[in-house]
Amino acid sequence: MIFDVTIVIVFCFVVFTFVFSFHPLIGDSIVPNIKNTDLTVIYKLDHDYRQGDVVLISKNGTSYILRIIGVPGNTISFSEIGDVLLDGEIYYEDYIYDETYPVENKASFPLKLNENEYFVLGDMRESSIDSRNTLIGCVEKDQIVGKVFFRIWPFKNIRFF
């Protein structure tokens, strides 16, 4: 009996240390898809990050949940009417409701991403602290903790990503 309980505890420890973690969203960066205080499950083993992935990053001692827009080698800029331009082409996003503009007196655009760099934005563009701001800037691959696998709380709105 004690051996069985120990095995279960060790298994849970390994799974929730190296494979999955729980993380609440603090703030409104991914609203309306994930709201302030929603609890997410982060999958840590998949390091094949793509445009559109919602990820947990850790930078400057703070964690952020944001969406990958640009991957290594992309050039990011913005149109005069608020479109994100990815390599000179409009990047269509059906999950946002606001225009996207650079933040005044912050990162300069167009911005070419180096190897291992990712450009992340929040879905709530007006209030998001993201790669447009020098506080976060471009994110290195090793600063990405993992992908948001699904929103687990509140239970009535469980959503997979």
Side-chain angles (χ1 to χ4, degrees), residues 41-82:
V41 175
I42 309 300
Y43 181 58
K44 297 179 178 181
L45 295 182
D46 185 356
H47 300 288
D48 182 25
Y49 304 116
R50 298 183 180 128
Q51 291 154 336
D53 286 347
V54 178
V55 294
L56 173 66
I57 65 167
S58 180
K59 191 155 185 181
N60 304 320
T62 305
S63 295
Y64 304 89
I65 294 179
L66 297 165
R67 188 178 300 272
I68 293 176
I69 302 300
V71 297
N74 286 150
T75 299
I76 309 293
S77 59
F78 303 96
S79 73
E80 292 178 6
I81 59 170

Side-chain angles (χ1 to χ4, degrees), residues 80-150:
E80 292 178 6
I81 59 170
D83 293 317
V84 174
L85 300 177
L86 189 61
D87 297 328
E89 301 289 326
I90 294 174
Y91 180 65
Y92 293 99
E93 303 172 274
D94 60 357
Y95 43 81
I96 64 164
Y97 303 100
D98 300 324
E99 290 81 22
T100 308
Y101 297 102
V103 180
E104 293 293 320
N105 301 319
K106 301 294 179 183
S108 59
F109 297 94
L111 175 65
K112 173 88 170 159
L113 298 175
N114 295 321
E115 183 179 330
N116 247 8
E117 284 186 326
Y118 294 82
F119 188 85
V120 293
L121 292 174
D123 292 353
M124 180 67 77
R125 302 292 163 82
E126 291 180 5
S127 63
S128 179
I129 297 174
D130 49 40
S131 288
R132 297 172 294 170
N133 189 306
T134 54
L135 176 67
I136 293 180
C138 293
V139 175
E140 297 285 329
K141 187 172 190 171
D142 64 356
Q143 294 171 322
I144 301 174
V145 176
K147 292 181 184 181
V148 173
F149 184 58
F150 66 93

